[in-house]
Amino acid sequence: AQDRMSKSVVTSSPLKIFGNAKKSIRDIFGGIASYVEESKACVQEINDERICSASERVKIGEYTDKVAGIREVLSRDHMKVVFFGRTSNGKSTVINTMLRSKILPSGIGHTTHCFVQVEGSDTTEGYMLLEGSAEKRPVSSLKDLANALSSVKLEENSLIRICWPKNMCSLLKDDVVLLDSPGIDVTPDLDGWIDKFCLDADVFVLVANAESTLMQTEKNFFLKVSEMLSKPTVFILNNRWDASASEPDMMEMVRSQHMERNMEFLCNELKVVNKKEAEGRIFFVSAKEALHNRLTEKGAVTTPLGSVLEGYQSRLFEFAQFERTFEECISRSAVKTKFAQHAHKGKLMACELRELMEALLDRSQSLREEVTKVYSSSTNQLAQLERQLAEISTDIENTIRMVADDVQLKVSRALSD
Ligand code: GTP
Ligand code: MG
């Protein structure tokens, strides 16, 4: 029964909206590509400047590259979510929880030193790629390269790509790419970060610390993001909410204080959502508990988390709820941002090509009419000539007959004399 349930969960995942849209648009571009090839073959056969000029031939040929270019981009299109927040708020732990595996290094203090992107791969083993190099490195070396505590340090704005087997995680299978970042508070180059990593992001997750409150550095970063992207989709995860269990009397009050400040930020400062929508973007979770719970279920860890704190189940439930809402948001927003432009270009190309081919058809039809006209006027002339010839031959026959009669008459007269 559990198997059936997990299957139905997988098939009903909102992420399929993106997958299905991607499949449809790829099929449509496949159709456009064969239309272009047919048109090209047809033009090659015509071989008549009066119907198709050299420049039109070149133009039709160029569509092949244009369509191939878009098909190539389409095959690489994915949904991208980026995680930001202050050092140690739990960004890497949140990503590991969503991936249901301890892939990214996490720990106390300043851990993640550069950008780390996790994406799906069709291989059976995971591997790692450093920026500007095609060498596949073992994922085990990530800790040494991405960790701020290690001796070899990459630049903060450099990117490590982890290609993780798709069949080990449903998010990756459905084309979601997750980007982890160093703490927002440890770098002055926020503009550079936005330029390099955020312009193609579909969703932003601000991992906040529920033990303190939203900080100005966190707010400033997102204010900058929203200057460059119109209405970014932003989620706020108030992480480390397990801390509230130690102060149960204050829990509700603290929650509403966070809620109020988060809403104020999303609605009035960032101005990306209204109040009702904002409620669906703010969650209170414990990534540490959720990760441990998932790893235990998988049998990946056997050590207990310690005593189960009050509110444990509801925090797990809220994490799952965040994921569900996140999946809906990211697939919808990615379909809009990633495919709307391609769809528009595809429509334009198909229209242009149709107009061109219709013009060729018109020209070939009028050429045919002209030929028919010439043909019919020459047949008229021929008929007239034939008539004239017939008349002439009758005249000749008559003349011959008259001459013959005359000769006969003269001969018989001479004989009778
Ligand atoms: P940097 O990479 O340094 O910017 O930190 P980060 O935001 O990636 O945080 P990370 O995931 O490394 O977590 C920092 C520490 O907090 C780790 O020891 C985690 O185990 C712990 N942690 C993460 N989430 C939670 C949580 O929900 N509750 C508690 N109690 N601890 C957590
Ligand atoms: Mg980290």
Side-chain angles (χ1 to χ4, degrees):
Q2 206 174 21
D3 224 35
R4 255 205 326 273
M5 212 168 86
S6 64
K7 257 185 204 152
S8 81
V9 168
V10 169
T11 46
S12 67
S13 161
L15 295 175
K16 297 281 178 243
I17 299 171
F18 181 82
N20 292 340
K22 185 167 170 171
K23 191 181 171 317
S24 312
I25 196 161
R26 280 169 80 169
D27 289 348
I28 291 170
F29 271 89
I32 296 180
S34 38
Y35 179 39
V36 170
E37 288 318 304
E38 273 171 35
S39 310
K40 244 168 81 176
C42 169
V43 166
Q44 256 154 17
E45 267 176 32
I46 293 174
N47 209 8
D48 187 329
E49 275 288 310
R50 288 171 299 174
I51 299 174
C52 182
S53 69
S55 68
E56 282 169 330
R57 239 175 262 272
V58 172
K59 200 168 174 190
I60 292 172
E62 280 171 357
Y63 282 115
T64 309
D65 291 342
K66 281 189 193 166
V67 175
I70 294 181
R71 291 180 86 190
E72 155 71 12
V73 174
L74 272 175
S75 69
R76 278 186 288 115
D77 266 342
H78 53 243
M79 296 174 265
K80 181 171 168 184
V81 49
V82 291
F83 296 79
F84 287 103
R86 269 184 314 133
T87 310
S88 268
N89 280 3
K91 301 175 290 296
S92 304
T93 312
V94 167
I95 297 176
N96 285 339
T97 311
M98 292 173 81
L99 294 171
R100 293 170 154 75
S101 290
K102 234 176 180 166
I103 301 176
L104 302 174
S106 69
I108 53 168
H110 171 199
T111 308
T112 312
H113 182 68
C114 61
F115 282 81
V116 185
Q117 175 166 300
V118 187
E119 57 191 72
S121 128
D122 292 316
T123 51
T124 47
E125 290 276 325
Y127 59 91
M128 213 173 81
L129 295 171
L130 298 192
E131 215 169 344
S133 153
E135 187 197 340
K136 292 181 179 176
R137 295 163 185 257
V139 177
S140 54
S141 55
L142 177 68
K143 229 180 169 148
D144 297 332
L145 287 166
N147 202 314
L149 297 172
S150 76
S151 50
V152 214
K153 281 212 178 97
L154 298 174
E155 292 282 314
E156 267 169 14
N157 70 348
S158 61
L159 175 71
I160 294 179
R161 284 168 61 198
I162 299 180
C163 305
W164 196 249
K166 280 184 186 171
N167 59 11
M168 280 166 80
C169 173
S170 66
L171 274 184
L172 301 178
K173 203 185 290 168
D174 283 325
D175 273 345
V176 177
V177 164
L178 303 97
L179 182 72
D180 192 12
S181 62
I184 256 173
D185 43 341
V186 297
T187 178
D189 186 25
L190 297 182
D191 290 324
W193 281 14
I194 296 174
D195 273 348
K196 190 168 173 188
F197 300 107
C198 300
L199 300 181
D200 64 340
D202 299 293
V203 165
F204 293 82
V205 178
L206 164 54
V207 181
N209 186 350
E211 288 171 288
S212 64
T213 188
L214 275 191
M215 295 279 169
Q216 202 53 45
T217 34
E218 290 167 319
K219 290 185 178 185
N220 285 345
F221 177 77
F222 281 90
L223 287 165
K224 269 178 197 253
V225 167
S226 78
E227 270 172 27
M228 304 190 48
L229 290 166
S230 82
K231 296 219 177 206
T233 306
V234 181
F235 281 90
I236 301 181
L237 285 185
N238 291 287
N239 193 37
R240 298 174 161 269
W241 189 230
D242 50 308
S244 65
S246 59
E247 290 171 48
D249 312 341
M250 305 294 281
M251 195 196 265
E252 271 317 305
M253 274 168 66
V254 177
R255 187 179 171 119
S256 40
Q257 186 194 52
H258 281 314
M259 194 68 175
E260 200 179 299
R261 290 186 184 174
N262 290 179
M263 298 252 282
E264 165 69 20
F265 177 55
L266 290 181
C267 306
N268 301 337
E269 294 171 49
L270 270 185
K271 300 188 178 72
V272 286
V273 275
N274 61 34
K275 270 203 153 136
K276 201 166 162 29
E277 290 165 326
E279 280 174 14
R281 299 276 170 88
I282 301 163
F283 296 87
F284 292 78
V285 295
S286 167
K288 187 177 176 179
E289 287 175 343
L291 176 62
H292 191 273
N293 176 271
R294 289 173 182 190
L295 294 182
T296 318
E297 270 185 2
K298 257 178 51 173
V301 288
T302 44
T303 44
L305 186 63
S307 57
V308 170
L309 301 173
E310 198 184 319
Y312 175 76
Q313 284 300 338
S314 63
R315 284 188 293 275
L316 289 187
F317 179 73
E318 199 153 334
F319 199 97
Q321 228 180 357
F322 151 68
E323 287 175 304
R324 181 84 189 175
T325 323
F326 155 79
E327 288 181 7
E328 260 169 32
C329 269
I330 196 166
S331 56
R332 279 185 207 289
S333 119
V335 166
K336 249 192 252 161
T337 55
K338 305 269 148 83
F339 300 149
Q341 241 187 5
H342 296 320
H344 179 70
K345 273 191 197 154
K347 208 168 124 186
L348 210 68
M349 262 194 263
C351 285
E352 277 175 8
L353 196 56
R354 198 180 72 184
E355 274 171 24
L356 229 159
M357 293 309 285
E358 274 175 359
L360 300 195
L361 184 69
D362 278 356
R363 269 178 249 156
S364 71
Q365 267 169 355
S366 48
L367 204 65
R368 186 196 282 168
E369 273 165 29
E370 244 173 65
V371 172
T372 325
K373 247 190 247 160
V374 172
Y375 175 76
S376 71
S377 80
S378 50
T379 35
N380 283 346
Q381 278 176 358
L382 259 178
Q384 206 179 341
L385 277 176
E386 266 174 32
R387 267 198 311 277
Q388 282 173 349
L389 269 176
E391 278 169 23
I392 293 169
S393 63
T394 332
D395 283 353
I396 294 173
E397 269 173 31
N398 287 342
T399 320
I400 292 173
R401 208 175 302 123
M402 268 162 55
V403 172
D405 287 351
D406 192 37
V407 169
Q408 212 172 9
L409 198 70
K410 280 182 183 156
V411 170
S412 55
R413 249 191 228 152
L415 282 176
S416 62
D417 283 348

